Amino acid sequence: MEEVDYIRKSNLYTKVPIKECIERTGNKPIAVKWTDRNKQDAKNPLYRSRLVGKEFNTYNDITLYAATPPLEALRLIISLAATYKNEIMTNDVSRAYFYAPVKEGQYIYVKLPAEDILPGEENMCGRLNYSMYGTRRAATNWQAHYTKVLVQNGFTVGTANCVTFYHPDKQICCMVHGDEFVSAGPSESLDWMMRRLKTYLT
């Protein structure tokens, strides 16, 4: 229920009639399920529940794949930090996909979890406003979102790989792998970046 409360507060989806989904897409809403993971151990359990979509891969579309940085990018960041006596910072964005808006023209509908169906909403589904884990466009939407955030804050996109970034004024090198950011730069610049990430991605 904590996760359901977060879904409601984040406006993940708008509840609409299932009829709208069928008329617009020709299909029923995407099924959902809960995934539970113990982040610690059996003696000290710390469970995390996530609602994920069950969108099946029914066709091949290369535009649905998000880029990943090569191993050399991480090696370069570590090398630059050592050479210029800078610091390295790592950031893991919790519920990263929930910050990525669904692009204009994308209509993605999901079934409502039982915990979020109120009386009278039995024939309703959720039209996604933001990306959900388990839907095929989530990764590319997330990549587009964090790229936009970084560029708006003065970063330039790498020419060899689109998930590597450099801030010329702050002298920050950064790479993004999934929901994890690895950056190197002067301490005060990394503090500034941390504040920017907290503003836009938390």
Side-chain angles (χ1 to χ4, degrees), residues 172-201:
I172 301 173
C173 293
C174 174
M175 57 166 266
V176 185
H177 188 281
D179 58 6
E180 296 180 350
F181 292 68
V182 180
S183 312
S187 177
E188 61 275 12
S189 294
L190 295 181
D191 290 341
W192 169 86
M193 183 177 179
M194 172 73 82
R195 292 192 297 270
R196 295 289 86 195
L197 292 178
K198 284 184 177 180
T199 298
Y200 292 96
L201 300 178

Side-chain angles (χ1 to χ4, degrees), residues 54-68:
K54 297 168 63 178
E55 186 173 12
F56 295 106
N57 183 0
T58 56
Y59 61 93
N60 186 34
D61 186 348
I62 195 171
T63 65
L64 297 177
Y65 295 94
T68 56

Side-chain angles (χ1 to χ4, degrees), residues 68-113:
T68 56
L71 180 59
E72 289 78 9
L74 179 59
R75 290 175 175 170
L76 178 60
I77 287 176
I78 295 172
S79 175
L80 289 172
T83 301
Y84 295 102
K85 297 182 179 179
N86 286 331
E87 295 185 1
I88 295 177
M89 177 178 71
T90 60
N91 305 93
D92 186 348
V93 180
S94 179
R95 300 183 180 96
Y97 288 177
F98 284 13
Y99 299 106
V102 171
K103 292 182 179 180
E104 185 176 356
Q106 291 181 355
Y107 296 100
I108 306 172
Y109 298 83
V110 298
K111 290 184 177 179
L112 298 177

Side-chain angles (χ1 to χ4, degrees), residues 6 10 15 28 61 66 80 104 148 157-158 171 177 180:
Y6 184 86
S10 64
K15 293 180 180 180
K28 294 181 179 179
D61 186 348
L80 289 172
E104 185 176 356
K148 179 180 178 181
V157 182
Q171 298 182 330
H177 188 281
E180 296 180 350

Side-chain angles (χ1 to χ4, degrees), residues 18 21-22 25 27-32 109-112 124-126:
I18 294 175
C21 169
I22 296 174
T25 68
N27 297 301
K28 294 181 179 179
I30 298 167
V32 297
Y109 298 83
V110 298
K111 290 184 177 179
L112 298 177
M124 303 287 277
C125 64

